Amino acid sequence: MTIEQDTRSGTASREWTPVIALTTGIALLVASEFLPASVLPAMAADLGVSEGTAGLAVAATAIAGALTAPSIAVLLPRADRRLVLVALLAAGTVANLAVAIAPHFALLLAGRLVLGVAIAGYWSFAFGVGTHAVPGRNRLVSTALAFGVSVATVVALPIASLVSDALGWRAAFVGAAALGALSAVAVAATVPPVPAHPAAGLAMLRRAVRNRRLVAGVACIVLVAFGNFAAYPYIRLAIERVDPGSTAWLLLAWGIGGMAGTIAAGALARWLRPAAALAPVLIAVGLFLTATATTLPALAVGVVLWGFGFNMVPVATQLWVTRVEPERAESAMSLQVTAFQVAITLGASMGGVIVDARGVGPALIVGASVAAVAALGFGLLRVPRE
């Protein structure tokens, strides 16, 4: 390798260091969001509440995120976005520590609400900060951030479960807090200052919501995320209905399919309209196969398709909203995040009602039907060319 080639390689590595730091931050926050799912029985028993009540720890995070995403830029219209991200990671660290030391459920719930604020704010700003750090690489930045989310969903729960079994459920949250603090330091050290957009704030948000195509796309995002989360909390039930002994590896297959879907969405991003429509189609087909499978091979195909399709969604929709509203991308991203958080809350709640009344199969069929409607919506909506 020549000196010139070595210099170029070093420059490229430094160029992508901020994106790696940002990706690590979102992965840590998303992993923290779903940590209660892996420690729920022990956590509920320790705090003296039912498992159903303890499950509110996840719902509370989503509700706080839904309220925060569109408002944080309004409250901080002139703040350096790098400092905002560092502060949000610090808030996530404090939130996990609060859960780790909580003597009662009320403090735990307060910590989870703070985590919801951190996740929604970080996700709203991270894409814009990443594209500022690496200009002209929107597709790769979006894919990197979404890949961090996919890895978190695959790796976090098994690791947290092992830590909980060995050291207690509180240790899992102490570990998440420590990693959050390291992520905050990494972002502060590697990400350049990012000034707010001159029009950031309430005026930008108002103009964004006047864009009818954007609002229609956000409605489609709600539908596709609703379809997924009407089913996802009950994926274990769906698997155990067919083959209880295959639960662990099929959950891993869902996650691996998800990582592949994230990469595929980035590769297909230049054909954004069909990519945005394809993702919910794959979710619908995957959910239908999972709901109706009677054999392990059919179930495996359904689960992998489901994971692949859903994990295309964050990349495709992130690029979709910022392509439709490029001048007000920060507000467009906040609306995308709000759509996801609202859909998580409503979808999981509706899915739970259906599971209790009719079983897991009908919940998956409802999710598939709603995802199919989202696919139709994305197929009909035009997207400006790059």
Side-chain angles (χ1 to χ4, degrees):
M1 179 181 288
T2 66
I3 294 175
E4 184 180 349
Q5 288 172 326
D6 188 55
T7 301
R8 281 201 301 267
S9 176
T11 301
S13 296
R14 289 193 299 273
E15 184 181 60
W16 283 99
T17 300
V19 178
I20 294 170
L22 292 169
T23 299
T24 303
I26 192 62
L28 185 280
L29 289 172
V30 169
S32 298
E33 181 175 14
F34 295 109
L35 271 185
S38 62
V39 301
L40 198 65
M43 186 174 74
D46 191 14
L47 295 173
V49 297
S50 70
E51 291 184 9
T53 299
L56 292 174
V58 175
T61 304
I63 292 168
L67 296 174
T68 300
S71 60
I72 191 165
V74 174
L75 296 173
L76 300 169
R78 298 292 171 262
D80 181 331
R81 287 349 191 187
R82 178 188 63 170
L83 295 180
V84 173
L85 292 184
V86 172
L88 290 167
L89 286 169
T93 298
V94 171
N96 280 323
L97 281 176
V99 173
I101 66 171
H104 46 69
F105 188 66
L107 179 58
L108 181 144
L109 204 59
R112 297 297 295 177
L113 289 169
V114 172
L115 181 68
V117 172
I119 292 170
Y122 192 97
W123 188 251
S124 296
F125 290 135
F127 177 73
V129 171
T131 55
H132 183 274
V134 189
R137 308 301 289 272
N138 293 19
R139 212 172 7 141
L140 291 177
V141 170
S142 180
T143 303
L145 293 172
F147 190 76
V149 173
S150 296
V151 170
T153 59
V154 174
V155 172
L157 298 191
I159 290 178
S161 182
L162 290 173
V163 171
S164 176
D165 290 345
L167 302 173
W169 70 270
R170 295 178 187 273
F173 287 92
V174 171
L179 292 173
L182 290 174
S183 294
V185 171
V187 170
T190 63
V191 176
V194 182
H197 190 284
L202 185 58
M204 177 187 281
L205 183 61
R206 283 175 176 165
R207 292 190 186 97
V209 297
R210 289 178 189 149
N211 184 330
R212 293 182 181 179
R213 192 184 304 172
L214 174 65
V215 172
V218 168
C220 290
I221 294 170
V222 171
L223 289 173
V224 67
F226 179 100
N228 179 77
F229 285 101
Y232 181 69
Y234 316 104
I235 184 173
R236 186 165 190 147
L237 297 177
I239 293 170
E240 290 177 349
R241 180 181 59 84
V242 179
D243 191 336
S246 300
T247 300
W249 76 262
L250 281 178
L251 289 174
L252 180 62
W254 190 96
I256 293 172
M259 288 190 281
T262 298
I263 296 168
L268 295 171
R270 66 181 59 189
W271 303 285
L272 193 51
R273 184 177 180 180
L278 175 63
V281 167
L282 294 175
I283 294 171
V285 173
L287 286 174
F288 182 80
L289 288 174
T290 304
T292 59
T294 56
T295 64
L296 183 58
L299 178 64
V301 171
V303 166
V304 171
L305 273 180
W306 176 8
F308 187 98
F310 179 68
N311 284 273
M312 286 183 68
V313 172
V315 178
T317 58
Q318 191 171 66
L319 294 171
W320 197 97
V321 297
T322 53
R323 182 88 61 83
V324 169
E325 187 55 274
E327 295 302 315
R328 289 169 277 275
E330 192 172 274
S331 291
M333 280 298 306
S334 72
L335 293 173
Q336 186 229 22
V337 174
T338 300
F340 264 94
Q341 300 297 342
V342 168
I344 289 171
T345 306
L346 296 180
S349 301
M350 179 63 73
V353 170
I354 297 171
V355 168
D356 287 344
R358 298 294 182 88
V360 68
L364 270 63
I365 295 296
V366 168
S369 302
V370 176
V373 174
L376 179 62
F378 277 122
L380 294 174
L381 290 170
R382 291 184 297 107
V383 184
R385 293 182 181 275
E386 257 186 312

